[in-house]
Amino acid sequence: MGKKSRVKTQKSGTGATAAVSPKEMMNLISELLQKCSSTAPSPGKEWEEYIQIRALVEKIRKKQKGMSVSFEGTREEFFSELMAWATECGASCDCFEISNFADEGYGLKAIRDIKAEELFLWVPRKMLMTVESAKNSVLGPLYSQDRILQAMGNVTLAIHLLCERANPSSPWLPYIKTLPADYDTPLYFEEDEVRHLLATQAIQDVLSQYKNTARQYAYFYKVIHTHPNASKLPLKDAFTFDDYRWAVSSVMTRQNQIPTADGSRVTLALIPLWDMCNHTNGLITTGYNLEDDRCECVALKDYKEAEQIYIFYGTRSNAEFVIHNGFFFEDNAHDRVKIKLGVSKSERLYAMKAEVLARAGIPASSIFALHCSEPPISAQLLAFLRVFCMTEEELRDYLVGDHAINKIFTLGNTEFPVSWENEIKLWTFLETRAALLLKTYKTTSEEDRSMLEKPDLSLHSRIAIKLRLAEKEILERAVSCGRAKRLHFQKQLDEGIPLPLYEESDIALLENADAKLPIILRKLEEEDEHVQEEMSLAQIKPDAADEGLLRLHRMKEKNIYILKTLTW
């Protein structure tokens, strides 16, 4: 299985600080755990709390300097060992190699022509690190007793990864040694680099991510040093904050959901070799084949020899890519910013508006999204804004009468305005709201562009400023679109253009044939805060409408499950 691990634990040496007593370290850990477990700060105080937590973490990191596990040699030196191990385990390695692609880092390069939809990569289950393999490892006894591990598969994978990294005989060492030594997730940002994210929509998640990671680290530090079932874990002498941050980032940038061996449920997994693929726009082309018990990936498009092979990570915004993957994707067709909207319960027409929205399957208060594409709003948001701006008379038309139920189907359709006045109001509202959101940023788009021209700007600062600028550009387009639509519908009204008439025969074009649901429910917002980026794990069926699912079905007519990367 290749050469033995050259793993070492540094307890002293160049740059190492004086030894810290176990009691002193435990006191610092307890302080950190208490700080991270306190009640949530009042609005506006989150940054102050972050600074306090960060100061404690930096104090701990300073005392732990030189104590982390590391491998002798560079990451690139171990790629041949990874490929040999993968071949020995039955993975496919005959049409690609691992190569360095400059700004994108390492990825897979085709060593022969590959056709679109060709099955070019498969990885058997025995290569995967999963929650199930964690339960069957040295971590098993602690897992059986610890509720955090049982409830959080991602945390289990992180601890599992650390245990295997410290085990010289781990079967996964050929994989672990090829993982990056550090990452570009916000957990690795300096304080001044995180400051660039202030006022962006990512900042709350970034601060929460840091706090949660610090709390988990403090909790497991105590567990590892005190719990009887943790006595055999190879982590007592080497479980630093930097170790845990690395493990969290490794899992966060790579985890996927796959079915268990019997297909009865799903589990989290790290998939060696496949996770070397970089992201591009496209469709999901990876699935899990239960019959052959392996992860399979078909080519997204035709690839010529020497071209980089990409996969599609899913419809993530750039905020999600920065937070969970540590990169900004320049050509993101799915970029968006969140916008929270709701009908006030104190409004006189609240009951009527809430009822119309309920019939359309839309909450009276929700998080929607403004998209980078044209138009910037989805059918669902259009429907919400139309109801939000309706008069009492207009609401009554959608609540009572023989055709009221059918009219609900038109709410998300641009061809059937409620009225010219309603269109003017909703686009005026959107224009104003987007303009107000733009004012919350402390820099202008021009200032951000000037900052990005500085050659000495750090990578993390550049990522943060690009994200900040991208959010503004989406909002600016929403303002411009709102203004143009407002003027257009005002002209329609002024010129007395007749409103397009909805006819009963039009319903066939608007209905969801299967469920008889409004058109807006065919594709609800992917940005809902409760379901955002949840795993789209579904068994492939021959009549699947989505082209990506059809590709997977054509890959093999077997039990195959859709796969895409998850967030932490």
Side-chain angles (χ1 to χ4, degrees):
M1 194 173 289
K3 55 192 174 185
K4 292 185 178 179
S5 166
R6 295 176 290 172
V7 65
K8 60 180 180 180
T9 303
Q10 299 177 337
K11 295 187 181 179
S12 61
T14 304
T17 58
V20 58
S21 70
K23 182 178 180 181
E24 182 184 359
M25 181 57 69
M26 190 61 78
N27 286 340
L28 284 172
I29 293 295
S30 296
E31 186 180 354
L32 178 62
L33 183 59
Q34 183 178 7
K35 181 64 182 174
C36 294
S37 302
S38 58
T39 56
S42 56
K45 297 290 185 181
E46 295 91 351
W47 178 257
E48 182 180 328
E49 181 191 55
Y50 168 75
I51 297 300
Q52 293 170 356
I53 293 173
R54 188 179 183 103
L56 269 173
V57 167
E58 290 304 314
K59 193 173 182 180
I60 291 170
R61 289 185 67 226
K62 185 177 180 180
K63 293 184 179 298
Q64 293 175 337
K65 190 172 183 179
M67 297 178 65
S68 296
V69 167
S70 63
F71 293 108
E72 295 177 354
T74 65
R75 181 186 182 196
E76 189 172 10
E77 289 178 36
F78 300 113
F79 287 150
S80 59
E81 187 176 341
L82 171 65
M83 295 291 279
W85 173 63
T87 301
E88 182 181 326
C89 290
S92 60
C93 305
D94 60 346
C95 59
F96 58 82
E97 63 184 13
I98 301 171
S99 186
N100 194 335
F101 293 94
D103 292 343
E104 290 181 279
Y106 291 104
L108 296 187
K109 182 173 75 174
I111 57 176
R112 64 167 175 82
D113 290 354
I114 300 173
K115 293 293 185 182
E117 302 184 31
E118 179 183 341
L119 177 59
F120 74 94
L121 172 61
W122 58 85
V123 183
R125 184 181 295 271
K126 63 182 176 181
M127 285 180 63
L128 313 187
M129 295 188 73
T130 67
V131 173
E132 314 310 307
S133 66
K135 290 191 284 187
N136 294 323
S137 73
V138 68
L139 188 58
L142 180 60
Y143 181 93
S144 67
Q145 296 292 316
D146 189 87
R147 292 184 179 180
I148 301 296
L149 292 176
Q150 293 170 7
M152 302 181 70
N154 49 3
V155 173
T156 298
L157 270 184
I159 302 295
H160 183 30
L161 184 60
L162 286 173
C163 289
E164 297 305 317
R165 186 179 71 162
N167 176 11
S169 60
S170 170
W172 290 288
L173 277 183
Y175 167 60
I176 296 171
K177 288 185 289 186
T178 63
L179 292 173
D182 49 44
Y183 291 87
D184 295 316
T185 62
L187 290 175
Y188 284 82
F189 283 24
E190 297 296 333
E191 182 183 320
D192 63 325
E193 294 169 335
V194 179
R195 282 184 182 275
H196 290 304
L197 292 171
L198 288 173
T200 69
Q201 297 200 347
I203 189 61
Q204 292 301 325
D205 287 339
V206 168
L207 301 185
S208 295
Q209 182 188 76
Y210 192 90
K211 180 180 180 178
N212 292 339
T213 302
R215 181 174 60 245
Q216 291 161 11
Y217 170 70
Y219 169 81
F220 280 106
Y221 185 95
K222 283 196 159 190
V223 168
I224 288 168
H225 286 81
T226 61
H227 200 292
N229 284 3
S231 60
K232 293 184 179 180
L233 297 184
L235 301 177
K236 275 196 174 182
D237 295 330
F239 183 62
T240 66
F241 178 84
D242 284 1
D243 288 329
Y244 189 66
R245 176 178 65 173
W246 171 84
V248 165
S249 293
S250 295
V251 173
M252 183 164 55
T253 57
R254 284 163 163 75
Q255 67 177 340
N256 285 268
Q257 255 182 342
I258 65 166
T260 53
D262 62 3
S264 63
R265 52 193 175 83
V266 294
T267 187
L268 290 179
L270 299 179
I271 306 174
L273 208 58
W274 177 79
D275 63 13
M276 293 297 301
C277 293
N278 288 315
H279 166 80
T280 193
N281 290 318
L283 300 164
I284 300 293
T285 56
T286 306
Y288 199 89
N289 185 325
L290 269 175
E291 185 172 322
D292 292 335
D293 203 19
R294 64 189 191 184
C295 173
E296 296 183 344
C297 186
V298 300
L300 187 60
K301 66 181 189 69
D302 287 342
Y303 290 106
K304 296 294 185 182
E305 182 180 347
E307 285 187 337
Q308 183 176 180
I309 303 170
Y310 292 96
I311 61 173
F312 178 56
Y313 290 4
T315 56
R316 293 186 180 181
S317 67
N318 268 319
E320 292 165 324
F321 278 133
V322 169
I323 295 166
H324 302 290
N325 297 89
F327 68 83
F328 178 91
F329 188 57
E330 298 282 357
D331 188 29
N332 190 354
H334 304 282
D335 205 10
R336 55 194 179 263
V337 297
K338 297 176 185 177
I339 178 169
K340 187 172 184 178
L341 299 173
V343 181
S344 172
K345 290 186 177 181
S346 62
E347 183 183 339
R348 182 177 66 86
L349 299 177
Y350 173 79
M352 295 179 74
K353 290 183 178 181
E355 177 60 26
V356 174
L357 288 170
R359 292 185 184 186
I362 303 173
S365 178
S366 187
I367 293 180
F368 300 92
L370 298 175
H371 296 265
C372 62
S373 55
E374 288 291 339
I377 65 174
S378 65
Q380 189 193 34
L381 180 51
L382 175 61
F384 176 88
L385 290 173
R386 280 176 169 172
V387 177
F388 184 79
C389 295
M390 280 183 186
T391 64
E392 184 172 358
E393 182 178 351
E394 289 168 342
L395 287 165
R396 207 172 275 120
D397 285 342
Y398 285 80
L399 288 172
V400 297
D402 294 338
H403 305 296
I405 190 64
N406 287 339
K407 291 189 74 173
I408 295 291
F409 287 79
T410 68
L411 282 173
N413 192 299
T414 56
E415 300 298 318
F416 298 101
V418 174
S419 66
W420 297 135
E421 292 86 353
N422 181 267
E423 292 293 310
I424 293 167
K425 279 196 282 186
L426 80 86
W427 289 109
T428 300
F429 174 83
L430 186 68
E431 177 187 359
T432 303
R433 187 61 177 268
L436 287 173
L437 288 173
L438 275 169
K439 290 181 179 179
T440 63
Y441 295 90
K442 300 187 184 301
T443 59
T444 64
S445 296
E446 292 71 23
E447 289 170 335
D448 286 347
R449 293 187 186 99
S450 295
M451 293 179 70
L452 289 171
E453 292 176 1
K454 296 179 179 179
D456 59 343
L457 195 65
S458 72
L459 172 62
H460 296 163
S461 292
R462 190 171 298 278
I463 289 173
I465 295 169
K466 282 185 176 182
L467 175 61
R468 190 171 72 195
L469 176 59
E471 288 187 1
K472 293 174 190 172
E473 289 175 342
I474 291 174
L475 291 171
E476 287 165 353
R477 281 193 288 271
V479 169
S480 177
C481 179
R483 184 184 303 114
K485 293 283 189 181
R486 168 174 57 81
L487 294 175
H488 168 73
F489 288 114
Q490 184 65 58
K491 183 179 179 182
Q492 298 287 91
L493 177 64
D494 293 344
E495 295 180 357
I497 303 298
L499 201 68
L501 293 178
Y502 162 75
E503 296 181 5
E504 200 72 23
S505 59
D506 293 322
I507 197 66
L509 302 176
L510 301 173
E511 283 184 331
N512 178 322
D514 295 326
K516 301 293 182 183
L517 293 175
I519 189 172
I520 53 175
L521 289 185
R522 294 191 192 175
K523 185 176 182 182
L524 290 178
E525 294 282 358
E526 293 171 321
E527 296 77 22
D528 187 284
E529 59 184 340
H530 301 300
V531 299
Q532 193 173 79
E533 278 304 313
E534 286 296 318
M535 182 61 198
S536 291
L537 189 79
Q539 192 167 6
I540 301 303
K541 297 180 180 179
D543 61 350
D546 184 88
E547 184 180 347
L549 305 190
L550 287 173
R551 283 188 172 192
L552 283 174
H553 176 69
R554 289 195 295 268
M555 187 169 71
K556 280 197 177 196
E557 293 184 9
K558 298 180 179 180
N559 290 327
I560 298 178
Y561 289 77
I562 307 170
L563 213 66
K564 71 174 179 180
T565 53
L566 289 172
T567 56
W568 179 254

